[in-house]
Amino acid sequence: MLSAITALGLFYPPPPSIFLTAMSAITCTSLAFIGVSEVRGKHLSYSKFWNANKPGGGGADPVRISSRAGMLFFYTPALLASAAAFAVPSLMADERGLLVALALLLHFLKRDFEVLFVHQFSGAIVLDSAISISFSYFINTVCILYAQYLAVGAPEPAVNLKYPGAVVFAVGMLGNLYHHILLSKLRKKGDKGYKIPEGGLFGLVICPHYLFEIIIWVGVALMAQTLNAASFMLGSAFYLMGRSWATKRWYVSKFESFPKGIKALLPYIY
């Protein structure tokens, strides 16, 4: 199957690394499973689901940290891994490698910036969820960069998608930031309640920021043209599809006035 995919000229051949090949499969499968779990009501405990999955029968209460600290913990290790890539001369000498490393750096830098200066937080984050999410971002960032490093000097894919990928990435970044800003404006200082989001694509879907997050990773996958980047993009899409479905269900349960025509993630479709 991998040979058939690479024969299309869209990807580099699979790298000579059992670790990277295994991680591609594990990443896509595990993130898809977590997405299905979100639909079934088993949530990663952050954002509006921070208090989900409470233990029953008098079980021990999970360790929680502040939302701001937790989200910084989500993204900062991956940010540092992205920055470390700039110390690898052969990767920086390769235009595609430089683009991918720069995209990852900008993405996680933006996420930390939003945590510090844009997002308005309430609740907390369960430490176990923070560790899982942080590790996922970190290890997959490392794998994407390592796969790109191994691709340096290899024959380029027949179809060069790195420049279209850069455009797609920029669209995703701007759209994601814009809708995060809209979300932040829903709350005044000290307000911890939730409201139905408005503006932008919120009139069509409840999670346009997730949609643009997926677009970001589509852009990275197009720039990289490696199976590792593509597997993380697909896994992230599956997870965010499940999370957006759970988010819409949450809004419907909390607000009787929630508009019936608003979809979860894709306008008019899903």
Side-chain angles (χ1 to χ4, degrees), residues 11-245:
F11 296 100
Y12 286 98
S17 168
I18 296 175
F19 170 73
L20 286 181
T21 301
M23 281 302 300
S24 293
I26 292 169
T27 292
C28 193
T29 303
S30 61
L31 287 173
F33 175 79
I34 296 171
V36 172
S37 296
E38 290 283 343
V39 173
R40 292 178 173 176
K42 182 69 174 178
H43 307 295
L44 289 177
S45 300
Y46 68 95
S47 186
K48 58 185 59 61
F49 300 110
W50 73 273
N51 207 26
N53 314 320
K54 292 185 69 174
D61 201 37
V63 177
R64 294 185 174 92
I65 57 178
S66 74
S67 292
R68 194 179 305 277
M71 287 200 165
L72 283 174
F73 185 52
F74 284 4
Y75 308 122
T76 303
L79 172 64
L80 295 175
S82 303
F86 286 82
V88 181
S90 60
L91 189 62
M92 293 300 99
D94 179 71
E95 183 182 38
R96 189 186 297 273
L98 177 60
L99 276 175
V100 171
L102 183 61
L104 292 170
L105 180 70
L106 289 175
H107 173 62
F108 291 112
L109 190 63
K110 179 185 83 71
R111 298 312 298 263
D112 272 3
F113 173 84
E114 290 171 336
V115 171
L116 292 172
F117 303 110
V118 176
H119 295 321
Q120 302 292 328
F121 294 105
S122 64
I125 292 176
V126 172
L127 182 59
D128 286 352
S129 291
I131 292 172
S132 298
I133 295 169
S134 179
F135 179 75
S136 176
Y137 276 129
F138 173 77
I139 193 64
N140 282 291
T141 297
V142 170
C143 286
I144 290 170
L145 290 167
Y146 183 43
Q148 213 64 50
Y149 168 78
L150 293 179
V152 173
E156 287 277 321
V159 182
N160 186 351
L161 297 174
K162 63 176 179 279
Y163 300 126
V167 174
V168 172
F169 173 79
V171 170
M173 288 279 282
L174 292 173
N176 183 258
L177 174 61
Y178 173 66
H179 287 91
H180 279 161
I181 291 172
L182 290 180
L183 283 174
S184 73
K185 291 181 177 179
L186 290 175
R187 287 178 179 160
K188 297 180 180 179
K189 190 173 182 179
D191 185 5
K192 295 185 180 295
Y194 281 91
K195 301 174 183 177
I196 299 174
E198 297 178 342
L201 293 183
F202 281 114
L204 298 175
V205 295
I206 196 59
C207 294
H209 48 309
Y210 288 175
L211 173 60
F212 284 102
E213 176 84 4
I214 293 171
I215 291 172
I216 287 171
W217 291 111
V218 170
V220 171
L222 292 176
M223 282 188 281
Q225 292 188 251
T226 63
L227 294 176
N228 288 87
S231 70
F232 185 66
M233 178 270 291
L234 286 174
S236 297
F238 287 137
Y239 166 66
L240 292 173
M241 286 175 68
R243 185 78 175 186
S244 65
W245 181 271

